[in-house]
């Protein structure tokens, strides 16, 4: 998949997929090191076009996810989209 990201991403933006995406999963389930490695890959393939996505879906873990996602965005200078 990374080859496709490299070749076919001109003009595209990418959203993190909120809690259901790789970054959201990583925020709630992976070590910080694994999460940051994954995040840097997206930033490399989509410079200035990668957005941390948050959603309100009335799930029990929603507040914790949103707080972590916003903190991640602030720490890595990424825009947030809801």
């Amino acid at each position: 998949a990374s080859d496709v990201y490299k070749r076919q991403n001109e003009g595209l933006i990418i959203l993190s997929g909120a809690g259901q995406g790789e970054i959201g999963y990583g925020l709630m389930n992976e070590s910080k090191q694994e999460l940051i490695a994954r995040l840097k890959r997206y930033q490399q393939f989509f410079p200035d076009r990668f957005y941390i996505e948050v959603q309100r879906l009335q799930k029990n873990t929603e507040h914790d996810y949103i707080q972590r996602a916003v903190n991640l965005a602030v720490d890595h200078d990424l825009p947030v989209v809801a």
Side-chain angles (χ1 to χ4, degrees):
S2 64
D3 288 339
V4 172
Y5 291 156
K6 289 178 187 176
R7 290 190 317 256
Q8 299 178 350
N9 72 19
E10 185 68 33
L12 296 177
I13 63 167
I14 186 166
L15 305 180
S16 67
Q20 297 76 37
E22 289 184 40
I23 300 300
Y25 176 85
L27 276 169
M28 303 305 285
N29 299 293
E30 293 180 341
S31 72
K32 187 163 186 156
Q33 184 179 6
E34 291 172 304
L35 172 64
I36 299 305
R38 189 180 310 258
L39 180 67
K40 288 190 182 293
R41 189 179 76 230
Y42 280 107
Q43 288 179 300
Q44 174 189 355
F45 294 138
F46 299 92
D48 301 318
R49 295 177 285 135
F50 178 65
Y51 295 75
I52 298 296
E53 182 179 359
V54 295
Q55 297 176 353
R56 294 208 181 270
L57 301 172
Q58 307 303 318
K59 293 185 176 183
N60 293 337
T61 59
E62 179 177 279
H63 178 75
D64 191 30
Y65 164 74
I66 291 173
Q67 187 173 39
R68 291 180 190 195
V70 169
N71 288 339
L72 182 72
V74 168
D75 290 347
H76 294 276
D77 197 29
L78 293 167
V80 175
V81 63

